[in-house]
Amino acid sequence: MAVAKEFLGLSLVERPSFVPASGFLFNHQFKRRLHPRIDTSLSMPTARLGLEMLLGRRPDPCSHCYYSPSRKFYPQLYRPQGQQKGLSALADDQKNMEKLQYEQVRAEYGSSTRSQDGNAGLSKAVGTFIQFTRPYASFGSIVGIISASLFPVEAIGDLSPKFFLGVLQAAIAAMLMKTFVSGINHLYDVEIDKINKQHFPLASGEYSTETAWAITCAAALLSFGIGFMSQSPALLCGLLMCFIFGSVYSVDLPFLRWKKNPVLAAVCLMFIDMFSVYIPSFIHAQRYLLGRSIVITKPVILTTVIMCVHSIAIFIFKDIPDTEGDKENGIQTFSTEHGRQKALFVGVNVLLIEYAIAIIVGASTASTLFSKFASVVGHCLLALALWFRSRSVDVMNNSAAFSFYMFIWQLFYFGNVLLLLYR
């Protein structure tokens, strides 16, 4: 009782065993929060050990033995030295166990981190490649090729495996050639992109010039290889026209780099759509996939004209986010010459004229009443969507202007689907 009174008379922090005991208990809870995968729950013996230390008792297998806070040893409570060593060995075993668990979790976490880093690196590489190839332009060509290839189809029997394989060859070859065109544009527009689009692979340093040239040349070679394998002169000529006009648009050589002049740039882009997408794809499907005589029909001509008008609008909107960089590098565009707001106004009105033509052609050319109705209503909806979106866009903001440019590509995709109603 005297010992108990002596012990209880001390404040908690004055008790000599308070600091090591509280630290002992705190370390377990801290390790639990820091490393939740480690089993640091206090077992009953461990909890008892910590609590007895907190109360000033030095625990021992002999439950009647304790250590007095006044540091007075009582002969009848003397603990043998061997038992002290046994308790120390038990604590060391506990520390070794926790250390092994910590090292195991650390190794697992390290491998998990390396795996996450690898996935992040792969995701970044894919994103960089997508920025370099500009798949939205490739997808536009693919939609146009599919649309033009379906015009000569007269019966369900024409949709044979040979037909689908031929259309697939044309789509893959066009996608690779568009990758070449995009790569050439990146290579010759590095200084412009450092101002307008610092996130682009060459402007940001993600790709070296050698890497960009390797991807660009490989895409062109693979595209021509597929063209030769198809044994279709129409497809091969279409790829060659895309190669020529894509180079003329970007390559900085005498009499080339037509992008410096807005009129020549618009003509270049129209020729790419006209002579590398719609007419070649139609002839490729009609003559070399279906085995029929080459007859350029009225719907194909109207589709080509309408989509070429859309290409002019794409050309106008494409240059709006690049106004500052084009000015500093001497590139004349509609936006640099007349301002962003004027470019937006002209581009929207060009598309509205296109949709008016498409509505008239659809109402007079479509073969069935349903086709006439769907063509007219569909193009009216596209025109309304364009009108309402153009009223809210802030062309002075590059991000908003680029987003609107992507919206124009979406209209292009839907327009190609609606033009199938002209058959």
Side-chain angles (χ1 to χ4, degrees):
M1 292 295 295
V3 174
K5 290 181 180 180
E6 180 184 357
F7 175 70
L8 294 175
L10 296 174
S11 65
L12 187 61
V13 292
E14 290 175 340
R15 298 174 188 176
S17 58
F18 173 76
V19 175
S22 58
F24 177 84
L25 294 173
F26 171 76
N27 284 338
H28 278 78
Q29 297 303 319
F30 178 75
K31 290 177 182 178
R32 177 195 292 271
R33 295 184 181 181
L34 186 61
H35 304 290
R37 298 181 62 180
I38 296 179
D39 183 13
T40 57
S41 58
L42 291 175
S43 62
M44 289 300 296
T46 307
R48 179 179 177 183
L49 175 64
L51 290 173
E52 289 183 344
M53 291 176 63
L54 186 62
L55 294 174
R57 299 178 60 184
R58 187 179 298 276
D60 192 85
C62 300
S63 59
H64 60 277
C65 299
Y66 69 94
Y67 176 69
S68 169
S70 62
R71 300 179 183 268
K72 297 178 181 179
F73 287 88
Y74 297 86
Q76 69 274 20
L77 302 178
Y78 175 74
R79 179 173 51 198
Q81 185 69 23
Q83 291 182 359
Q84 294 182 16
K85 292 183 178 180
L87 182 61
S88 176
L90 180 62
D92 291 341
D93 290 341
Q94 178 72 13
K95 291 181 180 179
N96 291 335
M97 180 75 69
E98 293 179 356
K99 183 177 181 181
L100 289 175
Q101 289 178 335
Y102 173 75
E103 293 297 336
Q104 180 181 0
V105 173
R106 184 179 181 182
E108 293 177 2
Y109 178 76
S111 62
S112 173
T113 304
R114 288 191 294 270
S115 176
Q116 292 176 359
D117 292 342
N119 293 335
L122 179 61
S123 177
K124 183 178 180 181
V126 172
T128 303
F129 183 77
I130 289 175
Q131 287 182 344
F132 184 78
T133 57
R134 292 171 180 156
Y136 56 85
S138 299
F139 187 69
S141 295
I142 291 173
V143 172
I145 288 171
I146 295 174
S147 177
S149 299
L150 291 175
F151 274 114
V153 174
E154 298 177 356
I156 194 67
D158 292 337
L159 302 176
S160 62
K162 177 185 176 182
F163 177 84
F164 284 112
L165 181 60
V167 174
L168 181 62
Q169 284 180 325
I172 294 175
M175 180 185 66
L176 290 169
M177 189 54 68
K178 282 289 187 177
T179 300
F180 164 80
V181 173
S182 176
I184 286 292
N185 187 258
H186 278 291
L187 286 163
Y188 285 94
D189 282 1
V190 177
E191 297 303 321
I192 298 176
D193 291 339
K194 286 181 179 179
I195 300 173
N196 296 327
K197 302 167 183 174
Q198 296 92 345
H199 61 281
F200 272 13
L202 284 173
S204 64
E206 292 290 335
Y207 279 175
S208 64
T209 304
E210 293 77 10
T211 301
W213 272 114
I215 296 173
T216 303
C217 294
L221 292 175
L222 289 172
S223 180
F224 281 124
I226 294 174
F228 280 110
M229 290 174 58
S230 68
Q231 298 181 350
S232 170
L235 177 58
L236 194 58
C237 287
L239 295 174
L240 183 61
M241 295 298 291
C242 186
F243 178 87
I244 292 174
F245 284 108
S247 301
V248 166
Y249 179 81
S250 297
V251 176
D252 194 5
L253 291 175
F255 305 106
L256 301 183
R257 196 158 174 81
W258 286 11
K259 71 174 294 179
K260 288 184 175 181
N261 186 285
V263 176
L264 292 177
V267 169
C268 188
L269 294 179
M270 281 196 304
F271 280 2
I272 289 177
D273 283 339
M274 184 181 297
F275 297 115
S276 70
V277 178
Y278 293 98
I279 294 178
S281 299
F282 175 81
I283 297 175
H284 170 66
Q286 187 181 56
R287 179 70 182 91
Y288 300 99
L289 297 181
L290 299 176
R292 301 188 180 121
S293 300
I294 299 176
V295 179
I296 305 297
T297 61
K298 184 179 179 181
V300 175
I301 296 175
L302 292 173
T303 297
T304 303
V305 172
I306 291 172
M307 288 295 101
C308 285
V309 174
H310 200 109
S311 297
I312 295 175
I314 288 177
F315 163 72
I316 294 174
F317 290 122
K318 176 184 71 68
D319 292 327
I320 292 178
D322 301 339
T323 303
E324 285 74 17
D326 289 339
K327 281 183 178 180
E328 292 194 18
N329 288 272
I331 305 295
Q332 296 180 358
T333 65
F334 200 93
S335 181
T336 59
E337 297 298 314
H338 304 283
R340 295 190 178 207
Q341 292 291 348
K342 188 82 175 283
L344 174 67
F345 175 80
V346 172
V348 169
N349 281 277
V350 167
L351 285 179
L352 292 177
I353 293 172
E354 174 206 339
Y355 291 140
I357 296 172
I359 290 171
I360 295 172
V361 172
S364 59
T365 305
S367 57
T368 66
L369 181 61
F370 172 77
S371 297
K372 294 177 185 291
F373 176 78
S375 176
V376 171
V377 173
H379 284 101
C380 285
L381 291 176
L382 293 182
L384 287 174
L386 171 67
W387 175 254
F388 283 110
R389 181 67 185 271
S390 65
R391 292 170 62 87
S392 61
V393 64
D394 179 15
V395 292
M396 304 308 296
N397 183 294
N398 286 340
S399 298
F402 184 77
S403 177
F404 187 75
Y405 171 60
M406 290 292 100
F407 173 73
I408 300 303
W409 273 106
Q410 294 173 9
L411 296 179
F412 180 83
Y413 305 149
F414 287 112
N416 273 282
V417 175
L418 291 176
L419 292 177
L420 288 174
L421 300 172
Y422 290 174
R423 298 179 66 256

